[in-house]
Amino acid sequence: MASNAPYSGTAGLRSRTITIGEQSIPYYFGEDCIAEIADAIASFGPDKLVIVTDDELAGLHAREIERLSKSVPSIILTHPAGESMKTLSCLSDHLEAALRAGITRRSIVVSFGGGVPGNLAGLMANLLFRGVRLVHVPTTTIAAMDSVLSLKQAINSGVGKNHIGTFYAPTAVYTDVRLFATLPERELRSGLCEMAKNCLAIQPAALDQLRAVIASDDFATPNNLLWLLDASIAAKSAVTRNDTFERGSGLVLEYGHTVGHAIEICDHKARGAAGIPHGTAIALGMLVAAHISHARGWLSDDEVSTHYEIVTGLGVEPVLPEAVRVADVLAVVADDNKKGYLEARPEAVPFVLLRALGRPELTGDLPLVHVSLIEIREALEVIAQTAVPARAVGV
């Protein structure tokens, strides 16, 4: 069996270690380093690579994908970009295609793309032969700084988001920050909303540095990306070091996600691939959470204003997309995947709320509380209106 030791010839790549429970995952990153990444993957000794990407990336980064597959026989699996990749039908088709191509237990599944190809690839790697090696090559900021910093691998059900999944550790993560240069501005900015979540919910001491990055108006410089990556790893490790499966302290990483996922689903149902990016939806979800906390007397005016400052600084318009109705969002929220962590209550869902920046409210040891659908509706109606001034925090 090929060794799982990280490639020793990565002198041109910087490295960090992601610690999640008992798992330690090497994370390598650099600039213009796709050739080194290809050599590193080949050094694991795979007999075949299964490269999972989407149609858009397969065209945009054809040269990079060709370089990754140059030294090892490869099968490239693509699908139209978007949430339609995170379905049982796509998963089944990809698994069958990989098996028909003759993969074995020595093969490696490589995700090349954002969070959607990454989740699909992660679930594939876990299912094939009860587990083959997985390597992530993220091409978006949201994947590089959030989704690959987790063991969670999931696809959507017909009912809601991320209902079907598992936990599976990658062998390694490799990031070439030059791949971010092709991201549209809105995707680059929205990808940093997960980092904003980390600052607001976990490490408010990092807010000043995040403000400096926002003020520079150039998120893609290597120095800014290095700090954002380091800060993301530090925040994740702080809450997952003793919570491998993110079912305890790691649940704080769900800040903004209950409503954010619902907004994302509703907008993509209405507008397809033109729907808002994941990070933008999470940012709107954080504003809703902030308004609920403020209405409960927990967050101050200034703390809610900080939410608006950071979210709008990242280029997010603090208003629901025109195609999204409050009633539709509430219907999706009722089937959120955090159901079951707390005892069921009628007309209420488990929710991450802050008592102060960096201080989630707890139920027992869990950073979750019951929030009524009425509270959620009232907060949604604030951002369903035209742009809300940062100081207009009443609900």
Side-chain angles (χ1 to χ4, degrees):
M1 187 68 175
S3 169
N4 279 342
Y7 176 55
S8 59
T10 53
L13 294 173
R14 303 178 184 182
S15 67
R16 298 290 184 272
T17 299
I18 308 165
T19 302
I20 304 175
E22 297 180 355
Q23 298 283 348
S24 294
I25 303 164
Y27 192 127
Y28 296 98
F29 56 99
E31 186 179 8
D32 289 327
C33 57
I34 201 72
E36 289 178 88
I37 292 172
D39 291 343
I41 294 173
S43 77
F44 288 117
D47 58 1
K48 193 178 292 287
L49 299 182
V50 180
I51 299 176
V52 180
T53 188
D54 63 44
D55 292 352
E56 183 176 331
L57 290 168
L60 191 62
H61 293 296
R63 184 178 304 174
E64 288 81 2
I65 292 173
E66 181 182 2
R67 181 63 186 86
L68 290 176
S69 59
K70 184 176 181 179
S71 302
V72 182
S74 302
I75 173 174
I76 299 169
L77 300 177
T78 72
H79 186 277
E83 290 290 304
S84 63
M85 284 189 75
K86 291 180 61 172
T87 60
L88 280 170
S89 60
C90 183
L91 173 66
S92 176
D93 289 346
H94 275 22
L95 290 171
E96 293 287 347
L99 291 166
R100 285 195 297 270
I103 70 160
T104 74
R105 289 175 173 82
R106 293 180 61 89
S107 303
I108 293 178
V109 176
V110 179
S111 75
F112 185 90
V116 172
N119 267 265
L120 181 63
L123 198 49
M124 288 178 61
N126 195 187
L127 292 172
L128 288 165
F129 303 109
R130 300 188 183 93
V132 299
R133 289 169 294 175
L134 169 68
V135 169
H136 288 302
V137 182
T139 63
T140 67
T141 51
I142 202 162
M145 298 175 192
D146 183 70
S147 61
V148 302
L149 306 179
S150 175
L151 307 187
K152 295 189 293 186
Q153 319 292 343
I155 60 173
N156 302 335
S157 72
V159 175
K161 194 172 174 70
N162 296 333
H163 283 179
I164 303 167
T166 186
F167 294 86
Y168 198 62
T171 298
V173 179
Y174 296 95
T175 296
D176 184 343
V177 297
R178 279 295 178 190
L179 295 174
F180 302 158
T182 61
L183 290 174
E185 182 71 13
R186 77 164 195 159
E187 294 286 346
L188 182 62
R189 287 177 175 269
S190 78
L192 302 181
C193 290
E194 291 276 7
M195 180 57 215
K197 172 205 69 182
N198 292 339
C199 290
L200 293 166
I202 302 170
Q203 292 188 324
L207 280 169
D208 283 344
Q209 185 62 45
L210 180 59
R211 288 184 176 102
V213 171
I214 292 172
S216 74
D217 203 31
D218 190 356
F219 305 136
T221 65
N223 283 341
N224 281 344
L225 289 170
L226 173 60
W227 177 80
L228 289 163
L229 178 59
D230 277 340
S232 297
I233 292 173
K236 282 262 187 171
S237 295
V239 296
T240 61
R241 189 176 301 277
N242 298 310
D243 186 15
T244 303
F245 302 117
E246 297 181 29
R247 293 171 178 165
S249 59
L251 284 168
V252 71
L253 295 166
E254 292 287 313
Y255 187 55
H257 282 59
T258 300
V259 170
H261 277 164
I263 293 171
E264 182 181 10
I265 288 170
C266 291
D267 200 32
H268 280 261
K269 281 183 177 179
R271 299 195 291 151
I276 60 174
H278 174 75
T280 301
I282 299 311
L284 295 176
M286 289 191 292
L287 295 182
V288 169
H291 281 297
I292 294 170
S293 287
H294 180 266
R296 290 188 174 196
W298 295 350
L299 289 186
S300 67
D301 285 6
D302 285 344
E303 288 171 317
V304 179
S305 293
T306 296
H307 278 70
Y308 275 89
E309 173 201 355
I310 297 300
V311 165
T312 57
L314 290 171
V316 176
E317 184 71 18
V319 62
L320 277 184
E322 289 184 8
V324 175
R325 298 188 309 160
V326 169
D328 294 335
V329 174
L330 289 171
V332 177
V333 163
D335 286 310
D336 182 69
N337 64 3
K338 288 181 286 301
K339 290 192 303 184
Y341 280 110
L342 303 180
E343 64 179 31
R345 289 186 185 177
E347 301 299 308
V349 294
F351 214 97
V352 180
L353 288 182
L354 301 182
R355 269 200 170 268
L357 297 183
R359 183 185 159 201
E361 175 67 356
L362 302 177
T363 299
D365 294 329
L366 297 180
L368 291 174
V369 295
H370 286 104
V371 174
S372 72
L373 295 181
I374 292 175
E375 290 178 284
I376 298 172
R377 176 186 292 277
E378 290 175 347
L380 277 167
E381 286 173 349
V382 174
I383 66 166
Q385 302 164 15
T386 53
V388 181
R391 298 295 301 184
V393 298
V395 296

